[in-house]
Amino acid sequence: MIIQLPNGRIIECSVEQYLSLSDDEINDLNGLGGVYTKEVGNPFYNQFSGTQEKESDEDPERIIEDSRSLDEIESSEKLEDPYFHPDDV
């Protein structure tokens, strides 16, 4: 869990550690020095995925969305769709 302090610096701790802190201990975090905190200018710091992958236009499994509604699509075209369900017709 990332906690941003009022001075703009951040600290990282687990959710269990954060929930075990009292109100006074949370206020005392403001006095932590630069050794224990980080200065972060990137708003996307430490995202869940760990790496950022760009979507490739050449990905063969990429699904291309169709903006037409279901009743505007021909029945034969629905049958050729790999994600066809019998209820679609």
Side-chain angles (χ1 to χ4, degrees):
M1 177 176 194
I2 298 174
I3 303 169
Q4 184 169 13
L5 303 174
N7 61 5
R9 299 186 64 85
I10 65 165
I11 60 170
E12 293 184 43
C13 69
S14 68
V15 175
E16 293 82 13
Q17 289 173 329
Y18 179 74
L19 294 175
S20 69
L21 295 173
S22 68
D23 290 339
D24 292 332
E25 291 172 328
I26 292 174
N27 290 334
D28 289 342
L29 292 176
N30 294 330
L32 288 176
V35 177
Y36 301 106
T37 61
K38 295 180 182 178
E39 182 82 34
V40 178
N42 182 359
F44 302 107
Y45 167 76
N46 201 8
Q47 292 197 351
F48 296 109
S49 64
T51 60
Q52 294 180 358
E53 298 179 11
K54 294 183 179 180
E55 290 185 25
S56 172
D57 291 336
E58 300 172 4
D59 186 10
E61 295 186 17
R62 183 174 178 203
I63 299 172
I64 299 172
E65 297 292 328
D66 194 350
S67 61
R68 299 179 291 177
S69 64
L70 196 56
D71 60 336
E72 295 174 340
I73 301 173
E74 299 281 332
S75 295
S76 60
E77 191 175 347
K78 291 179 197 175
L79 290 171
E80 293 171 3
D81 188 356
Y83 296 102
F84 169 74
H85 297 283
D87 298 337
D88 291 345
V89 177

